[in-house]
Amino acid sequence: SANWRRRYAPSPRAFAGHIEEILPLLDFVSREVETQGLPAEFALIPIVESWYRPNAIGAGGPAGMWQMIASTARNHGIRIQSGYDGRLSPVESTRAALSYLKTLQGMFDGWQPTLMAYNAGEGRILNAFKRNGSRQASGAKRLPKGLSHITYAYIDKVNALSCLFQEPERSKLNLPDDTRFAPLAPILVDANLRSLDQVARRYGASAETLRRLNPG
């Protein structure tokens, strides 16, 4: 993952700036991950997928900061309909993604095959295990054999980001440890409020910030 450490943080100042920008969302996801009893590294997945952009649209149909495809999203409770896509909601997408990860964790032994399955789909990992006659999974060893290099690199990326957060001094990083921000929290709004502008006025928030954080 040394290569990916360099690629994620070629400029220590720029990397720290990126992290500072996404801190409110990273904090929200980290708390949700902790509540679900999942590995803390799972909060790094939206960096790998989209750099925590709630409005990210990927090639082939995945959407949101977790880049979930529609069928998986619906299977884990997300509403997708005319005028609304819950994958673009940080709250809905995070809870659905963590539900999916918990399902995968129950199918596979260890965080590496769990993340491989999140990237490639559980069917591909199960088929690879069957072909290999083994359930050994390692991004570094490129196991199980026969997967896309993208899936092996997925593990490398999470490893690299984990190293950057846990040992920032190795890459001469100064992470924004002292940055102050307002923690995000989901709220239920009055059903009579029909636009984000109305919601913003009611709760004394910025409509622009709400649109950026919740493009769903």
Side-chain angles (χ1 to χ4, degrees):
S1 59
N3 176 52
W4 282 104
R5 286 202 303 273
R6 290 189 293 270
R7 292 177 68 171
Y8 274 118
S11 164
R13 180 174 294 181
F15 182 81
H18 282 314
I19 299 305
E20 188 164 7
E21 289 174 5
I22 67 171
L23 266 179
L25 286 169
L26 178 59
D27 171 70
F28 169 73
V29 170
S30 295
R31 285 184 277 121
E32 292 286 314
V33 166
E34 185 175 13
T35 297
Q36 293 297 321
L38 292 166
E41 286 80 5
F42 285 6
L44 303 175
I45 293 173
I47 297 181
V48 175
E49 292 287 356
S50 69
W51 262 108
Y52 267 93
R53 289 183 295 120
N55 64 345
I57 304 294
M65 65 187 195
W66 291 90
Q67 288 292 278
M68 300 187 78
I69 61 173
S71 57
T72 301
R74 287 192 174 102
N75 285 342
H76 291 272
I78 284 184
R79 289 181 299 117
I80 302 173
Q81 61 194 52
S82 177
Y84 181 77
D85 188 338
R87 294 176 297 172
L88 306 183
S89 159
V91 176
E92 279 203 66
S93 66
T94 295
R95 291 178 176 169
L98 297 187
S99 171
Y100 181 40
L101 285 163
K102 289 191 83 166
T103 298
L104 294 174
Q105 201 173 43
M107 297 173 63
F108 301 101
D109 183 22
W111 68 270
Q112 292 205 36
T114 296
L115 289 192
M116 287 178 178
Y118 186 87
N119 173 255
E122 58 268 35
R124 284 194 179 94
I125 308 305
L126 291 171
N127 287 337
F129 283 162
K130 187 175 181 179
R131 289 194 307 270
N132 283 261
S134 167
R135 292 180 68 89
Q136 187 177 1
S138 167
K141 296 178 181 178
R142 297 320 192 228
L143 294 174
K145 293 179 180 178
L147 298 177
S148 165
H149 74 278
I150 294 172
T151 300
Y152 301 128
Y154 202 84
I155 304 301
D156 294 339
K157 292 175 183 180
V158 173
N159 268 329
L161 288 164
S162 182
C163 288
L164 290 172
F165 278 97
Q166 292 185 47
E167 300 178 319
E169 65 281 354
R170 286 180 61 185
S171 299
K172 299 181 172 58
L173 294 177
N174 290 310
L175 295 179
D177 297 331
D178 299 323
T179 299
R180 299 181 66 84
F181 61 90
L184 299 179
I187 59 170
L188 292 174
V189 300
D190 188 329
N192 293 321
L193 300 177
R194 307 302 299 173
S195 72
L196 281 180
D197 289 317
Q198 292 177 335
V199 172
R201 286 194 294 271
R202 171 70 64 86
Y203 293 96
S206 160
E208 180 182 357
T209 299
L210 288 180
R211 287 191 182 90
R212 177 172 53 81
L213 290 173
N214 192 4

